[in-house]
Amino acid sequence: YHVMLSIDSVVQSWVEEELDRIAREFAPDNAAIIVSDATTGSLLAMGNYPTFDLNEFNKAPMEAQKNFAISSQIDPGSTFKIVPAAGALNEGLVTPQTRFDCSQPVVDYQGKPRRLMIDDHVYDHPLTVTEIISHSSNRGAALLAMKLGDRRFYEYACAFGFGEKSGFPLVGEISGMLHDPKKWSGSDITRIPAGYSISATPLQIHYGMSVIASGGLLFRPQLITEVRTPSGETIYHFGSNVIRRVITEKTAQEVALMLRGVLVEGTGASADIPGYQIAGKTGTAQKLIGGRYSDNNHIGSFTAFFPASAPRVVVTVIVDNGKPKDGSDAYGSKVAAPSFKRPPGKLIPYLDIKPVEVVPDRALLANKGGRP
């Protein structure tokens, strides 16, 4: 029999070419790019850096033989902010235009003062939920999680696939780290919503974003599409494998519009492809080195899908400890988001993805976070 894989050799080649470019430009410790079908969860490509020659695997160091995308855990950073936003929207606790005062460094939660993480920018007005996502506010993400409460927020994080293996069909996958609220410190409710005090694999980050792209469903990664007889007759077809529904389709659509704002007026502008409605989220997390978060070592990421109104493809780029030649910090917007454009730019004609109407973008900007 013939086993037909979902991996597309053309897409895989583009991914590996882009990883080579990332290695030359940023000299990271590790990097990964993952591409999947937004409608089925099937993997179209998965590449890692460093890599090695399979014909001479015995000469390669063990670190190079690891599948970084499934066997290493990293702090997801701001890519995780979709979880508190989606959870609060799904529970009806907020709407996209609900505003939060993100200027206060300390807030009261469950009868105790909690110090919030700082934001990169100071805002002169309360932020809408949409602006919290598009401007990547750490404080706003924490306030959304507090709306949910420890337990409900934790349950949404679990539902998005964090803290458990995805079901990737090859060996080596780990489950990451997401502690039960019973083990949280007093500051965890302020840090986990921003993607700290939690560890995830690149694949978990990718399929977390796929929940939004799929209309609220968490897929199990698929590698096999069909089994055929020697004569070419299909005897078994593998469709999508849905683990669970995480949020409603309406909530997923609302979050998708917010993520479109990241590209229109937020931190992911360098990854936008005009006319194709990219929706995504950048992430930058300080690396844990010697038990402490480093100010100089970062994990930059960007995870996105397109078109936002009718998703076809999900792409995730993770760059671990990239070193920009100009000496600047390796933010996700700098080391990961630009790499998003090259493989998708080739995917558009390859998969015959058509341009989409731009009216929702105009509405998003005109309403400053409101519904179009």
Side-chain angles (χ1 to χ4, degrees):
Y1 296 98
H2 299 297
V3 176
M4 313 303 293
L5 300 183
S6 62
I7 296 293
D8 187 305
S9 61
V10 174
V11 182
Q12 181 71 27
S13 177
W14 292 336
V15 162
E16 293 179 9
E17 288 172 5
E18 185 58 26
L19 284 166
D20 286 343
R21 193 201 63 77
I22 289 172
R24 291 193 304 271
E25 187 169 348
F26 300 117
D29 294 348
N30 298 279
I33 299 178
I34 304 166
V35 183
S36 68
D37 186 315
T39 62
T40 66
S42 296
L43 286 163
L44 302 178
M46 175 188 286
N48 293 286
Y49 170 83
T51 186
F52 64 99
D53 186 345
L54 285 166
N55 295 311
E56 297 182 335
F57 69 91
N58 57 314
K59 298 180 181 179
M62 287 304 298
E63 279 300 306
Q65 296 186 45
K66 288 176 61 178
N67 187 342
F68 172 69
I70 66 166
S71 62
S72 295
Q73 57 184 28
I74 59 176
D75 285 15
S78 294
T79 59
F80 190 76
K81 289 172 183 171
I82 61 173
V83 174
L89 284 164
N90 204 59
E91 293 293 319
L93 301 173
V94 298
T95 68
Q97 62 265 36
T98 301
R99 293 186 178 273
F100 290 84
D101 182 359
C102 299
S103 66
Q104 301 299 316
V106 179
V107 297
D108 184 80
Y109 177 66
Q110 294 182 346
K112 297 180 181 179
R114 311 293 173 117
R115 180 164 293 278
L116 302 178
M117 295 177 66
I118 62 172
D119 280 335
D120 289 336
H121 305 285
V122 177
Y123 304 103
D124 60 1
H125 65 281
L127 298 183
T128 64
V129 177
T130 295
E131 288 172 323
I132 287 171
I133 296 301
S134 64
H135 297 306
S136 202
S137 170
N138 295 324
R139 291 177 175 178
L143 294 172
L144 286 168
M146 290 175 181
K147 274 278 190 183
L148 286 163
D150 291 4
R151 177 58 55 180
R152 201 159 36 164
F153 169 55
Y154 167 77
E155 289 171 351
Y156 269 103
C158 292
F160 268 83
F162 293 95
E164 68 178 23
K165 293 181 180 180
S166 69
F168 182 74
L170 302 180
V171 298
E173 184 181 23
I174 62 173
S175 59
M177 182 194 73
L178 174 61
H179 293 309
D180 187 277
K182 294 177 182 177
K183 299 180 180 179
W184 287 5
S185 70
S187 63
D188 278 347
I189 189 63
T190 70
R191 299 185 65 80
I192 295 175
Y196 285 92
S197 298
I198 174 178
S199 295
T201 66
L203 193 68
Q204 287 173 327
I205 294 170
H206 179 84
Y207 276 95
M209 181 58 75
S210 295
V211 168
I212 308 302
S214 69
L217 302 174
L218 178 65
F219 288 124
R220 191 179 306 281
Q222 296 276 81
L223 279 175
I224 300 174
T225 57
E226 291 181 347
V227 177
R228 298 178 183 174
T229 65
S231 63
E233 179 186 357
T234 299
I235 60 170
Y236 196 88
H237 176 76
F238 292 83
S240 61
N241 190 332
V242 177
I243 298 175
R244 57 181 162 264
R245 173 164 287 284
V246 180
I247 53 178
T248 66
E249 188 172 358
K250 176 178 178 289
T251 298
Q253 290 170 347
E254 288 179 329
V255 177
L257 184 58
M258 293 179 185
L259 294 170
R260 179 68 195 130
V262 175
L263 280 292
V264 175
E265 57 177 13
T267 56
S270 61
D272 201 19
I273 301 175
Y276 287 92
Q277 238 185 17
I278 311 298
K281 188 75 190 73
T282 57
T284 305
Q286 295 172 298
K287 283 197 70 171
L288 266 175
I289 297 179
R292 300 187 66 176
Y293 283 106
S294 168
D295 291 331
N296 302 314
N297 306 85
H298 299 84
I299 297 167
S301 55
F302 185 69
T303 178
F305 56 89
F306 69 100
S309 56
R312 293 277 304 279
V313 182
V314 186
V315 181
T316 299
V317 182
I318 308 286
V319 181
D320 177 11
N321 201 22
K323 305 165 190 70
K325 293 176 182 178
D326 62 4
S328 61
D329 290 331
Y331 289 109
S333 57
K334 181 163 190 173
V335 299
S339 286
F340 172 87
K341 290 183 75 169
R342 279 174 279 269
K346 297 175 181 177
L347 281 169
I348 287 169
Y350 183 65
L351 299 179
D352 193 27
I353 300 175
K354 304 298 185 185
V356 295
E357 175 59 52
V358 297
V359 170
D361 289 354
R362 297 196 197 103
L364 175 67
L365 292 172
N367 285 279
K368 291 293 183 185
R371 298 174 194 260

